[in-house]
Amino acid sequence: MIWHNGLPDLAQLTALGADSMPGFLGIEFVAVGDDWIRARMPVNDRTKQPYGRLHGGASVVLAETLGSIAGAMTVDPAQFGAVGLEINANHVRPAGDGFVYATARPEARGRTTQVWSIRIEDEAGKLVCISRFTLAVIARDRGAVAA
């Protein structure tokens, strides 16, 4: 298992973002396994672009939210923080309603950087977006990450 303190509490992770961007967009953490974590986001007026399709920026917010939380859950929070360094996204297929589901899996978890792949699918399991997210792992004693 990759998680620092055992399987993360999904309700607690959802509540963590309640008063910020993840909460505004309706992102919820829904499942976790030994080396992956999943969240969902509604495709609705908050997450669509003017043409009625899921906004690519909303997909990136979902990917970065999931990757950031995943990275943070694999390090000792008393000693380290994990912060976004770079993200990319390929938007493969539109989504128009329902939910999209994102699953994050680590590609590399090093001492100073982590790389995560985040696959976003529609309710039928069709690929909507694929993202790669790089995090910097920073020691808290360096003052770079708030507790």
Side-chain angles (χ1 to χ4, degrees), residues 20-41:
S20 58
M21 177 80 77
F24 176 73
L25 295 183
I27 295 171
E28 302 172 282
F29 289 84
V30 296
V32 64
D34 287 346
D35 67 348
W36 58 271
I37 189 164
R38 182 171 296 135
R40 73 178 188 170
M41 180 177 69

Side-chain angles (χ1 to χ4, degrees), residues 26 29 74 96-97 99 118:
F29 289 84
T74 66
D97 57 14
F99 284 90
I118 300 99

